[in-house]
Amino acid sequence: MTDDAAVQGMRADMVLPRARPQVRCAPRRAIGEVATAYGVCLEPSNVAAGGHACPLRFRCVGCDHFRTDISYLPDLERYLADLLRSRERLMSAFEADDWARSEAMPSEEEIRRVRRLITRVKADLDDLTPEDRAQIEDAVTVVRRGRTVMLGLPKVRQPLPDVRPWRTG
């Protein structure tokens, strides 16, 4: 399977974070999108700012402009585990003012939405025939391989200090 075919297959199976009928996103994609940790954002001001102007402070699962697909399932499951660990840690032995604890605490609604999103993605996968499922799994492998290459910041080497400033080059 080519990379282009894999991406197109994943785009056809985009999942919305809220419980409403699935819609195709192709016309909206022509306007633009920006990658997020667990999918893509279609919010116009955030897209225009290259992903640096999220009005919801990156609470993607609560936004109507967020889309995800099966290729993000492992990331969503890790995110849910992180939310649950953070909640447990903050509820147990962590000393902090009440306002700081409540601001840092993952909300029950966020946890519930991530769980619901994971359940929807898995249910969509379970509804597929074995042939379609194998094809989707191949596409996910290709897409995730490409995503790991693209993610991350380029390494910029620091200039070496000038140990002899009196010398001219």
Side-chain angles (χ1 to χ4, degrees), residues 55-68:
L56 293 179
R57 294 180 10 199
F58 306 102
R59 299 284 194 207
C60 299
V61 295
C63 181
D64 288 339
H65 298 283
F66 173 69
R67 305 292 183 269
T68 192

Side-chain angles (χ1 to χ4, degrees), residues 61 76 79-80 110-118:
V61 295
L76 287 166
Y79 180 54
L80 177 61
E110 183 177 16
I111 292 170
R112 192 173 16 261
R113 285 188 183 210
V114 173
R115 279 185 174 144
R116 188 171 45 222
L117 190 54
I118 290 169

